Amino acid sequence: MLPPKSGLLCTNALLILNRPRFLAKYGLDDVQNMGPSPAEKPLKYQAVGLLTAVQYLKVPVIVLNIVTIVFEILLGGS
């Protein structure tokens, strides 16, 4: 199992991606024109859905970053 800090770092990495520019490189920026149905390309739709869903986590991730930084400063890094 991954430590909580690594999950926070991965979430931060997904949040800082410029979604339209990143997805346009792979032709995934327009979900309506990706193909006939999501059942034929489930992994592509899930990747786009993950990048879209993680955008709703901005405020909680900012709070978790602040809490993590404060604990690291007060208690020392591990």
Side-chain angles (χ1 to χ4, degrees), residues 34-78:
M34 278 178 57
S37 71
E40 292 180 12
K41 300 177 184 176
L43 188 59
K44 286 185 179 183
Y45 280 94
Q46 287 180 0
V48 173
L50 174 67
L51 290 174
T52 304
V54 95
Q55 296 300 315
Y56 292 105
L57 295 174
K58 279 186 180 180
V59 174
V61 168
I62 291 171
V63 171
L64 284 173
N65 282 329
I66 292 170
V67 168
T68 302
I69 290 169
V70 168
F71 276 129
E72 288 292 320
I73 289 172
L74 294 177
L75 301 177
S78 57

